[in-house]
Amino acid sequence: MSSSTLSAVIEKLIRSLCLNDFPGGNGTWRNTKGSAERAEMESTDALLDLLSCPHSPWRHDAMWSPQALPLRQLAVLTPERLHAPFIYNYFTSLRIVDRDVTAIDGGLLKFSKLEELVLSANKISEVPTVHLPGTLKILELRANRLSSLDSLTSGAPPPHLQYLGLGSNTLGSHNDVTHLTGRQWPQLVCLDLSDCGFQDQPALLNGLSTLPCLRTLLLEGNPFALASSYPGLTVDSLPQLSCLDTSWISPEERIRFRGLAKMSGLAVGIASPTVSVGRMMGIPDPQMTVDDKAPIFPVVSYHYFITYEFLRHQTPAHSKLDTETKSDTRSVTEGQRSKENGEKQTSKQDGGILNSEKPSCGNTCEVLRHSTSKLSWSESMDFGDTQTHTVSALGDLKKFLNRGLHLCLEEEKVLSWPAACEEVPLTKANQTGKEKKGRREKESPVKSDFTKSKDKNKKSVSELVQDAPIRRILGSVHIPLQSLVRGGQQVKVLCDFGMLHTDSEVEATQTHQKDLGRKIKDDKKKEDKETKRRQHNAASSKDKEKKSLEVHDSITSQQEPVIVELIVELKKWQTASEAHHFLLPQTS
């Protein structure tokens, strides 16, 4: 695509006003004084109505400038005044939004009375100040391709500029901070730096404190805004500020954060996101479909837990915050150690098992998987798991929150067998079918001993040998967290994992389908000899299948979706006294 200069886009918009065409301009349709009346002539009022009537084909919605419609009216009232210099000087506001503008050229200087210039959502990478009219008071450059402010301050910026919008650009370097001082912008009242990449909060506030007229500031969406010190440090560092991130700063708020900016050794570049996993409901009871005639062994136990990935803990040296991360790091280490010991993790694709999607944070973010405690089945399982993740890489945290959190629901199944003795060999997970069959024949006398009394049926855990756990992912959900980046402090949701089924239900369905297929094959072999019997068997088979489906549908209709409570919160300092706990110790 060829580049589009700003002046070329504006000229095209002015031509679209059709100032010299009907109903404006000096045409034969005008009824002027001294001219003979003709049938095709229109009165001035009628021509003006054609410009504003909702159903008129000459009505033009010119949202790009408040002066566009008045200029069309002038084309009807006094068309002789509409020469080029008059038109250029008539515009005081231009809003060129999403027009694929790539460059601001010198043609803009023709608009000598321009006070407002909005260039949002374009493709501008440089803003040469020599091409900006000196009369500008408002300059909006949101959502462009600015990666540096060098061009904006290389010359003399508009001296009367009161509003500067730089949000949603790839700004944030230390060099950009040096261009945001009172020397360049002596009359700046409102500054928008939201959704940029600024990470060094003290350095930016040090520069902004030199802006003598600054009253309104937008900073949400920057990485440092995720830190616990925001907005308290900003409020105390800029006493002249009246509004921060579209919220008025109250006197009570200033009192709460008084003295925060003067604290030395303050850990200001650290965020403390907290993830809390609460109750889980809706898991079907795995023992509901167990056959009463099934053998005593193996004893099958089920446990359920939640896993998710979060940024690796990045606690700075000498910080007092490292004590909060020990429990989480230990839990992750234990999970990794259990995997090394040969635990099986399987993700089945059976009916009712939702496919899982492994989350990723890209190449720059290191993540660790956290696992809650494993709970045995109950109608309502309360994990009560709360982890505070201390993160100092605020840029990575912003990327992670924009991608969202992936929550996985996992099931752990453990088979337990009697302990090894002279008559009963120890069952291994890797035994062949023949070995397992021989073992079952040998241990049948032992089973009969267990069936003689209830006390012997209930063997203690120490007398049972457990196989390696078999894990499977029952489902996963994605939790959007963009609201935390945009200024929110908490995301509280009920995660819906959908309808799940137990192992027994899945196996029973598969067994029923196999038996039904085998029955159909047998019926086909006897088709020639026993026609009547085959029809009877087919009818009874259909009845059984119908009953089985009815039972399955009734079970499914009684189930509820699996719901898990989740809260993700960004902890913020509420007072200056609270920040005392986050002071770094002084080194000698």
Side-chain angles (χ1 to χ4, degrees):
M1 181 193 295
S2 58
S3 61
S4 300
T5 61
L6 178 58
S7 62
V9 173
I10 297 175
E11 292 287 351
K12 184 178 179 179
L13 292 172
I14 293 176
R15 288 194 299 270
S16 68
L17 297 178
C18 302
L19 299 178
N20 295 320
D21 299 330
F22 181 86
N26 288 310
T28 57
W29 53 86
R30 288 181 55 80
N31 187 2
T32 58
K33 293 181 179 181
S35 61
E37 292 188 4
R38 296 187 299 272
E40 65 271 16
M41 285 185 177
E42 298 284 350
S43 65
T44 302
D45 292 339
L47 294 175
L48 291 175
D49 289 340
L50 292 176
L51 296 179
S52 57
C53 181
H55 303 290
S56 171
W58 292 278
R59 186 174 184 269
H60 186 77
D61 291 327
M63 304 298 296
W64 54 273
S65 175
Q67 287 77 46
L69 181 58
L71 195 61
R72 297 194 74 199
Q73 294 173 344
L74 283 178
V76 174
L77 297 172
T78 54
E80 63 277 1
R81 298 175 59 188
L82 298 184
H83 50 82
F86 176 85
I87 293 175
Y88 293 139
N89 292 333
Y90 191 80
F91 286 99
T92 59
S93 175
L94 294 174
R95 300 169 184 174
I96 314 301
V97 178
D98 196 15
R99 301 278 183 173
D100 291 331
V101 177
T102 58
I104 300 177
D105 59 321
L108 186 63
L109 295 175
K110 293 184 293 185
F111 299 86
S112 58
K113 295 185 179 180
L114 190 64
E115 296 181 355
E116 179 186 21
L117 180 60
V118 178
L119 299 174
S120 302
N122 284 289
K123 301 176 181 178
I124 301 171
S125 57
E126 292 186 354
V127 187
T129 53
V130 293
H131 296 162
L132 297 177
T135 55
L136 270 184
K137 295 181 180 179
I138 298 174
L139 179 59
E140 177 62 85
L141 296 167
R142 186 175 187 84
N144 275 276
R145 297 181 177 179
L146 297 177
S147 58
S148 173
L149 295 179
D150 290 339
S151 61
L152 188 59
T153 57
S154 58
H160 305 292
L161 197 70
Q162 299 178 10
Y163 173 89
L164 178 61
L166 300 172
S168 296
N169 283 286
T170 55
L171 302 172
S173 67
H174 177 72
N175 185 52
D176 293 333
V177 174
T178 61
H179 296 302
L180 297 171
T181 63
R183 183 173 60 86
Q184 292 96 350
W185 316 102
Q187 297 190 30
L188 196 64
V189 177
C190 181
L191 176 62
D192 181 6
L193 296 176
S194 60
D195 300 311
C196 291
F198 291 95
Q199 300 192 44
D200 192 345
Q201 184 179 187
L204 179 62
L205 296 178
N206 186 43
L208 297 181
S209 63
T210 64
L211 296 172
C213 300
L214 186 65
R215 296 296 181 268
T216 302
L217 182 63
L218 285 85
L219 295 176
E220 65 182 12
N222 283 282
F224 73 76
L226 302 173
S228 302
S229 58
Y230 186 84
L233 183 61
T234 300
V235 171
D236 193 52
S237 300
L238 303 175
Q240 80 279 13
L241 208 61
S242 300
C243 184
L244 178 62
D245 294 334
T246 68
S247 297
W248 294 103
I249 301 175
S250 64
E252 294 78 9
E253 191 174 6
R254 290 201 178 277
I255 293 175
R256 285 193 289 112
F257 295 116
R258 181 177 296 171
L260 189 60
K262 297 180 180 179
M263 293 184 183
S264 59
L266 196 63
V268 297
I270 297 176
S272 302
T274 301
V275 181
S276 300
V277 182
R279 294 182 303 165
M280 178 173 68
M281 297 165 287
I283 290 287
D285 187 357
Q287 303 297 332
M288 287 292 292
T289 55
V290 174
D291 189 359
D292 295 336
K293 298 180 180 180
I296 298 176
F297 295 108
V299 177
V300 184
S301 61
Y302 294 89
H303 292 84
Y304 302 92
F305 57 100
I306 299 294
T307 61
Y308 62 86
E309 287 187 350
F310 212 88
L311 286 183
R312 179 188 294 272
H313 297 289
Q314 301 163 332
T315 307
H318 308 297
S319 176
K320 294 184 179 181
L321 304 180
D322 55 358
T323 57
E324 298 185 42
T325 67
K326 290 182 179 179
S327 61
D328 186 41
T329 305
R330 182 167 55 252
S331 64
V332 174
T333 305
E334 291 175 354
Q336 292 177 340
R337 189 182 298 114
S338 64
K339 293 179 183 178
E340 295 174 358
N341 291 337
E343 292 184 358
K344 299 179 181 178
Q345 294 196 23
T346 59
S347 180
K348 298 185 179 180
Q349 304 294 331
D350 300 319
I353 307 304
L354 302 179
N355 295 337
S356 64
E357 179 182 346
K358 186 175 181 181
S360 173
C361 192
N363 297 328
T364 59
C365 305
E366 293 188 33
V367 296
L368 286 179
R369 179 172 290 274
H370 171 71
S371 175
T372 66
S373 57
K374 300 171 185 177
L375 302 180
S376 57
W377 181 89
S378 65
E379 291 184 358
S380 177
M381 291 171 271
D382 190 357
F383 293 104
D385 184 271
T386 299
Q387 296 295 327
T388 299
H389 304 266
T390 303
V391 182
S392 59
L394 300 180
D396 290 346
L397 179 60
K398 178 181 176 180
K399 296 177 184 177
F400 182 86
L401 295 178
N402 279 327
R403 290 184 178 95
L405 186 68
H406 291 264
L407 218 64
C408 291
L409 169 59
E410 299 191 31
E411 176 190 76
E412 183 180 84
K413 177 181 177 181
V414 179
L415 304 180
S416 302
W417 305 86
C421 62
E422 294 181 358
E423 297 182 1
V424 183
L426 180 63
T427 301
K428 299 294 184 181
N430 58 356
Q431 281 182 330
T432 62
K434 293 182 180 181
E435 291 173 344
K436 291 182 178 179
K437 183 177 180 181
R439 180 190 56 74
R440 293 191 185 99
E441 293 176 354
K442 290 182 179 181
E443 72 178 3
S444 58
V446 179
K447 288 185 179 180
S448 62
D449 293 339
F450 279 103
T451 57
K452 289 180 180 180
S453 65
K454 293 183 179 179
D455 296 336
K456 292 184 178 181
N457 285 341
K458 300 179 181 179
K459 302 295 289 179
S460 62
V461 178
S462 61
E463 295 176 331
L464 295 177
V465 177
Q466 296 181 347
D467 288 350
I470 302 174
R471 293 182 180 176
R472 64 170 183 165
I473 298 178
L474 300 181
S476 66
V477 294
H478 174 260
I479 311 299
L481 299 176
Q482 292 93 335
S483 61
L484 297 178
V485 179
R486 299 187 186 119
Q489 293 189 16
Q490 186 184 82
V491 173
K492 186 175 182 180
V493 295
L494 293 177
C495 308
D496 188 351
F497 286 88
M499 304 285 289
L500 303 182
H501 299 287
T502 61
D503 266 343
S504 302
E505 292 176 6
V506 175
E507 292 172 359
T509 303
Q510 294 174 347
T511 303
H512 171 72
Q513 292 175 351
K514 291 180 181 179
D515 292 342
L516 183 59
R518 192 180 300 111
K519 183 66 177 176
I520 293 174
K521 290 182 180 179
D522 293 340
D523 289 344
K524 286 183 178 181
K525 292 180 181 179
K526 300 176 182 180
E527 183 177 0
D528 296 334
K529 296 181 181 180
E530 301 178 3
T531 305
K532 294 183 180 181
R533 184 178 178 182
R534 183 199 61 196
Q535 294 175 349
H536 175 73
N537 290 340
S540 62
S541 177
K542 289 182 180 179
D543 292 339
K544 292 180 180 179
E545 180 182 1
K546 184 178 180 180
K547 291 180 181 179
S548 176
L549 292 175
E550 289 176 354
V551 173
H552 182 269
D553 292 340
S554 64
I555 294 175
T556 304
S557 62
Q558 294 174 1
Q559 289 182 357
E560 297 179 354
V562 178
I563 301 296
V564 177
E565 298 173 347
L566 178 72
I567 299 176
V568 182
E569 183 179 10
L570 281 176
K571 290 187 175 181
K572 302 283 188 175
W573 298 341
Q574 301 301 318
T575 61
S577 59
E578 183 180 343
H580 276 287
H581 301 288
F582 298 87
L583 289 173
L584 300 179
Q586 300 294 331
T587 57
S588 56

